[in-house]
Amino acid sequence: MNGENFEAGERLVNAAYVRQGAQGRRAHELRLRTLLEQGKCPEDGWDESTIELFLHELAIMDSNNFLGNCGVGEREGRVASGLVARRHYRLIHGIGRSGDISAVQPKAAGSSLLNKLTNSIVLDIIRLAGVRTASSCFVVPMATGMSLTLCFLTLRHKRPEAKYIIWPRIDQKSCFKSMITAGFEPVVIENVLEGAELRTDLVAVETKIQDLGADNILCVHSTTSCFAPRVPDRLEELAEICMKHGIPHIVNNAYGVQSSKCMHLIQQGARRGRIDAFVQSLDKNFMVPVGGAVIAGFSDAFVQEISKMYPGRASASPSLDVLITLLSLGTSGYQQLLKERKEMFSYLSSELKKLAEAYNERLLETPHNPISLAMSLKKLDEQSGTAVTQLGSMLFTRQVSGARVVPLGSLQTVSGYAFRGFMSHTNSYHCAYLNAASAIGMSKQDVDVFLKRLDKCLKTLLKGKNHGKDTPIPNEEEIVSEMEKCNTNAAEGDAKN
């Protein structure tokens, strides 16, 4: 509806009523104009009606939604199912062109605008989260591992003689396979034990660079977010080493956007040394479906080179998902989620420590890890060789997802490379343990239910009642009853405070 249409409407409905409706429409349009002019995430989240209005406005700018459009090419935004079309808000053309994922499509101005705007808003959030000097980013419809591969392939053109990637060990398959898939040879740097923490061996990194020669090294591939007792790499020192030897530096920041500590490490690394790009997952940081990542950096030119390395057009779904989410939350809503995550980390840490002590175990001291916690499982390990892995099975069948149990001495081969002590980030950690993480979106109820179920499982295993038996999955009534009890206890606690 434009001014002429509203004026025409006054012939059918009382003019005062139409003008009031026009004012309501202008309120929505003012939000849209501010967004387009500033390219930043709004402070306050939008209501769904404004977001849907915006998406429909974008959709009708694409040629497949033109009235009377006649498409005679092989890709004309044709969709057989109306349900599929509505799922994508009729934004069918995707993003980018065959040579560049960030390029504008002549016949899809709306989808192109969505792409540019999403990248701008995500960059605003990355800066807000702590990497204030990040200059550019783009959303790519691939998860973190393949996005890292894209970065490595881009560096290949800059360093055609290089064949090694220096990689401080982290036992996570996708980041390891990202190097293999790109055609490079990972040089694994074992971590050093400092107290209970596993930290970057900077001396070993320097030694490997001297042994292999800087020109033969594609990059250093470091990590921020990780499972305890592994802690984020010493990013500042690694960045200085990369600057000193002229070696690129790619950071796997998979779920680090939600952590001010991880983002501060990246910011400081870029200030003191060299960080070429850092990659983060969309689903782990922004609570959207799996399938997207953000590649960001401090050089517009290099980030653009990475985007041009992506072959062909790409799905707009990840961009659409994160745009809707950030418009719904606004910066204030996202910052509130970050604040609540920190609070839940403190709560989970204190309560898990109490539970550990009740079983003569301990919460491993890993102060440099801001997201993940680890609780020792020495008693279980001493009792039975299978008790530790059985605990993991029992938690899973009791609908506890995300918890990891790490037994001693496991051996696993990944893409032809054998890792001793796999999952523990080192060849021989001193005890078996259980991981739990406080990630964005976690609630107090999640923590309480997890601790209650963990307590029950530990009691059962230590009494030997579950030895060799299958563990039943609790029925829906039991789950609801347990959650209601947790809510009641929480309410009583709040009342006392």
Side-chain angles (χ1 to χ4, degrees):
M1 294 285 284
N2 56 25
E4 293 178 354
N5 289 335
F6 279 116
E7 186 176 337
E10 291 179 7
R11 292 197 293 269
L12 302 172
V13 177
N14 185 295
Y17 300 158
V18 172
R19 284 195 292 272
Q20 186 179 33
Q23 285 180 334
R25 167 84 183 201
R26 278 194 292 273
H28 290 288
E29 291 180 342
L30 180 60
R31 286 181 168 182
L32 305 188
R33 189 178 73 186
T34 302
L35 178 69
L36 292 170
E37 288 177 348
Q38 297 180 356
K40 293 185 176 182
C41 188
E43 181 178 355
D44 298 317
W46 289 5
D47 60 283
E48 291 185 5
S49 61
T50 304
I51 295 172
E52 289 193 323
L53 171 65
F54 181 45
L55 296 177
H56 287 306
E57 293 279 346
L58 290 177
I60 60 176
M61 294 172 65
D62 285 0
S63 63
N64 61 292
N65 297 312
F66 292 173
L67 296 177
N69 181 68
C70 175
V72 294
E74 83 290 351
R75 181 187 287 117
E76 300 300 326
R78 304 182 183 100
V79 176
S81 168
L83 182 61
V84 170
R86 291 192 298 276
R87 174 178 178 259
H88 294 275
Y89 285 91
R90 302 188 185 280
L91 293 158
I92 310 302
H93 281 283
I95 57 175
R97 302 186 74 180
S98 58
D100 184 353
I101 196 176
S102 297
V104 172
Q105 294 187 64
K107 62 183 175 183
S111 294
S112 299
L113 185 54
L114 178 145
N115 187 24
K116 297 290 185 182
L117 193 57
T118 300
N119 292 341
S120 180
I121 288 175
V122 171
L123 180 62
D124 184 41
I125 292 295
I126 285 174
R127 290 170 174 168
L128 185 73
V131 186
R132 300 194 178 279
T133 59
S135 65
S136 184
C137 79
F138 67 98
V139 173
V140 59
M142 303 186 296
T144 307
M146 287 302 295
S147 299
L148 287 166
T149 296
L150 194 66
C151 295
F152 301 143
L153 291 173
T154 304
L155 287 175
R156 183 194 290 277
H157 292 276
K158 291 178 170 290
R159 302 172 72 82
E161 302 302 318
K163 62 177 182 177
Y164 302 108
I165 295 179
I166 290 182
W167 180 66
R169 177 176 171 179
I170 174 167
D171 290 352
Q172 203 275 338
K173 291 181 182 179
S174 65
C175 58
F176 186 77
K177 287 184 175 180
S178 70
M179 299 178 283
I180 301 293
T181 302
F184 295 96
E185 183 178 329
V187 177
V188 181
I189 304 296
E190 291 293 338
N191 300 300
V192 292
L193 187 65
E194 297 182 9
E197 292 184 323
L198 291 164
R199 307 208 67 188
T200 316
D201 189 340
L202 297 172
V203 174
V205 171
E206 282 273 18
T207 301
K208 275 298 177 185
I209 292 174
Q210 297 294 338
D211 291 346
L212 299 172
D215 291 341
N216 295 317
I217 298 169
L218 182 81
C219 67
V220 171
H221 176 194
S222 63
T223 304
T224 56
S225 52
C226 53
F227 295 116
R230 175 72 152 80
V231 300
D233 279 319
R234 298 180 186 271
L235 242 62
E236 294 178 46
E237 293 88 341
L238 287 175
E240 289 177 337
I241 290 172
C242 289
M243 176 71 81
K244 172 183 167 184
H245 294 283
I247 298 172
H249 185 188
I250 305 296
V251 180
N252 175 9
N253 190 44
Y255 47 101
V257 178
Q258 61 191 280
S259 164
S260 58
K261 183 175 287 188
C262 290
M263 298 300 271
H264 177 73
L265 287 173
I266 294 172
Q267 177 62 50
Q268 288 299 98
R271 185 181 67 82
R272 290 177 50 180
R274 176 172 181 173
I275 292 179
D276 295 73
F278 55 104
V279 180
Q280 35 276 308
S281 164
L282 283 183
D283 61 281
K284 292 175 182 174
N285 293 290
F286 299 106
M287 299 166 67
V288 296
V290 172
V294 182
I295 299 175
F298 303 91
S299 162
D300 291 347
F302 182 60
V303 173
Q304 189 174 16
E305 281 185 57
I306 300 173
S307 72
K308 288 181 178 179
M309 181 61 62
Y310 187 96
R313 290 173 173 80
S315 168
S317 289
S319 296
L320 182 60
D321 290 340
V322 74
L323 176 64
I324 292 172
T325 299
L326 291 177
L327 290 179
S328 299
L329 290 170
T331 57
S332 60
Y334 191 69
Q335 285 178 312
Q336 180 62 28
L337 286 173
L338 300 184
K339 177 175 177 289
E340 290 171 359
R341 190 209 67 79
K342 277 188 177 180
E343 292 170 352
M344 285 303 102
F345 180 80
S346 297
Y347 180 63
L348 174 63
S349 178
S350 63
E351 295 303 306
L352 191 58
K353 183 177 182 180
K354 292 175 186 175
L355 182 64
E357 291 172 349
Y359 288 93
N360 293 318
E361 298 289 357
R362 64 191 180 96
L363 184 69
L364 301 179
E365 292 186 20
T366 55
H368 290 95
N369 194 318
I371 299 174
S372 177
L373 296 164
M375 169 185 158
S376 68
L377 296 174
K378 282 187 175 180
K379 298 295 181 183
L380 276 187
D381 198 36
E382 291 168 359
Q383 176 178 296
S384 164
T386 61
V388 171
T389 53
Q390 193 172 9
L391 174 63
S393 300
M394 291 175 70
L395 287 171
F396 182 74
T397 56
R398 282 163 174 76
Q399 299 184 358
V400 174
S401 60
R404 302 165 75 246
V405 293
V406 182
L408 292 176
S410 62
L411 177 67
Q412 184 145 355
T413 300
V414 182
S415 298
Y417 289 74
F419 290 89
R420 287 194 296 118
F422 189 75
M423 290 177 66
S424 65
H425 319 288
T426 185
N427 289 332
S428 55
Y429 197 68
H430 56 77
C431 69
Y433 58 86
L434 173 142
N435 279 132
S438 174
I440 190 168
M442 185 184 225
S443 68
K444 185 175 182 294
Q445 178 176 294
D446 291 328
V447 176
D448 291 338
V449 172
F450 160 63
L451 292 170
K452 187 168 185 178
R453 293 179 185 173
L454 175 59
D455 185 25
K456 287 183 177 181
C457 290
L458 288 172
K459 282 179 181 174
T460 300
L461 282 171
L462 289 170
K463 288 178 181 178
K465 288 182 179 180
N466 205 67
H467 184 67
K469 296 181 180 179
D470 292 331
T471 305
I473 298 176
N475 60 40
E476 186 176 348
E477 290 77 10
E478 290 173 333
I479 295 168
V480 172
S481 174
E482 192 166 84
M483 288 187 171
E484 286 174 348
K485 287 177 184 176
C486 289
N487 288 336
T488 302
N489 293 338
E492 289 174 354
D494 291 340
K496 289 178 182 178
N497 294 332

